Amino acid sequence: MTFTEDYARDGYAIVRQFLPPADVERIGAAIDSIHAEAAAHGRSFRHGNLFYKIANGDVRMAQWPSWRSAALDEARTDPRFAALLRGMIGGDIKQIINQIHWKRPGGKGDFAFHQDSRFRRPPDAYRNLGASYVQTGLAIDPHTARSGGMRILPGSHRLGALNMEMDGAVMDNAAAEDALVALGLDPAGLIDLELDPGDLALWSPYLVHGSGANRADHQRRFYINGYVRAADCDRGEWAFRDGQPVPLGPQPALVHYEQLRERPEPHFVD
């Protein structure tokens, strides 16, 4: 069975050893540099689409770090991604997610159960979610249940958009199984996504997933890139045209930051 067949059946797939150790080490070093820069700000910070999320003193997330790192920009447009995605969403591909997630040992790192489709706003800018969007996550460190890896509900993508609204944000809310029960979902079907460094996970925007804190003795770095068939999205940065990499241009494109044109300057975010 191919990874595309796994993806269609289960809503997720794993490509083992997608990148070799030398490439993972280079990307990991770039991620560490971004972490150091974010930590130096001391609080959440935005500059255009670049955003550093700092909570309780921890650097938790960076959005669009490729604006600060040539290595990460090259990684998101690596021809190996183009080859992998061509059979799923074609050769003309935009990108709406470019993120790093960190979980340090012992730090808070919960993500409530959710579907990524909830973040595709405004709805009229994002079409054919189930067939045109693919989320990917590259493991830089061992990604296990102990290190706060993703817990997923295989097959849940076939249910389409669910009413998974909650009080507060997805980040820092616990992945509570009773939230699944309330929707008629069986938590017994949950599995832990186990990845070695260099493995790549792909998942549907409708896949139900969450994660917990890192209880391992090592950090958990995860490089997430979300791709979309260009014809089905009015937003996002180009990643590939006819399968060829497209680097970031001189000005950021509108993605999720609605005030991009009104407030593009560097500023702290309370």
Side-chain angles (χ1 to χ4, degrees):
M1 182 160 305
T2 66
F3 81 91
T4 55
E5 291 172 321
D6 290 342
Y7 185 91
R9 182 193 63 214
D10 298 326
Y12 82 100
I14 300 172
V15 179
R16 300 294 181 188
Q17 298 181 325
F18 177 67
L19 294 183
D23 290 351
V24 176
E25 183 177 355
R26 184 177 65 255
I27 295 169
I31 287 173
D32 291 345
S33 294
I34 291 291
H35 186 280
E37 178 176 296
H41 285 294
R43 53 192 283 208
S44 295
F45 172 85
R46 177 178 290 284
H47 183 186
N49 284 332
L50 175 72
F51 174 62
Y52 296 145
K53 173 68 174 180
I54 299 178
N56 301 317
D58 282 346
V59 180
R60 296 289 309 283
M61 177 180 71
Q63 293 179 332
W64 287 98
S66 290
W67 281 103
R68 295 293 295 159
S69 170
L72 295 179
D73 190 30
E74 291 172 3
R76 76 176 184 91
T77 56
D78 190 298
R80 287 167 287 194
F81 271 115
L84 189 74
L85 296 168
R86 180 177 282 276
M88 301 178 75
I89 55 176
D92 290 333
I93 297 174
K94 288 181 178 179
Q95 190 169 356
I96 56 169
I97 301 294
N98 176 239
Q99 293 182 0
I100 307 165
H101 287 186
W102 288 273
K103 292 188 180 183
R104 67 169 178 82
K108 187 172 177 61
D110 302 88
F111 283 79
F113 285 115
H114 64 282
Q115 296 173 304
D116 291 335
S117 57
R118 67 176 285 153
F119 303 114
R120 305 300 173 252
R121 299 289 184 270
D124 60 357
Y126 300 90
R127 297 174 293 278
N128 302 319
L129 284 177
S132 299
Y133 291 73
V134 180
Q135 196 89 317
T136 74
L138 177 69
I140 307 300
D141 309 292
H143 185 284
T144 65
R146 186 165 179 80
S147 67
M150 288 171 58
R151 299 188 74 200
I152 62 178
L153 191 62
S156 53
H157 68 300
R158 294 192 295 270
L159 301 174
L162 300 171
N163 182 14
M164 301 191 73
E165 296 303 319
M166 66 190 73
D167 294 331
V170 168
M171 180 181 283
D172 292 335
N173 269 305
E177 294 184 3
D178 57 2
L180 303 182
V181 174
L183 290 170
L185 304 176
D186 186 359
L190 289 167
I191 66 169
D192 295 306
L193 189 67
E194 302 271 343
L195 304 171
D196 291 325
D199 289 349
L200 185 77
L202 305 92
W203 64 95
S204 163
Y206 290 127
L207 182 73
V208 174
H209 62 287
S211 65
N214 183 356
R215 296 176 288 106
D217 60 359
H218 60 82
Q219 65 174 324
R220 198 218 71 173
R221 296 166 293 175
F222 204 37
Y223 189 34
I224 300 177
N225 290 286
Y227 298 96
V228 55
R229 184 182 296 125
D232 285 317
C233 188
D234 298 332
R235 297 191 174 200
E237 297 283 358
W238 278 92
F240 305 101
R241 291 183 187 268
D242 195 24
Q244 297 303 305
V246 181
L248 291 171
Q251 297 295 326
L254 181 64
V255 188
H256 300 300
Y257 177 44
E258 298 295 342
Q259 292 181 288
L260 178 64
R261 304 306 177 206
E262 292 78 19
R263 197 178 184 189
E265 75 279 1
H267 61 277
F268 291 108
V269 180
D270 294 326

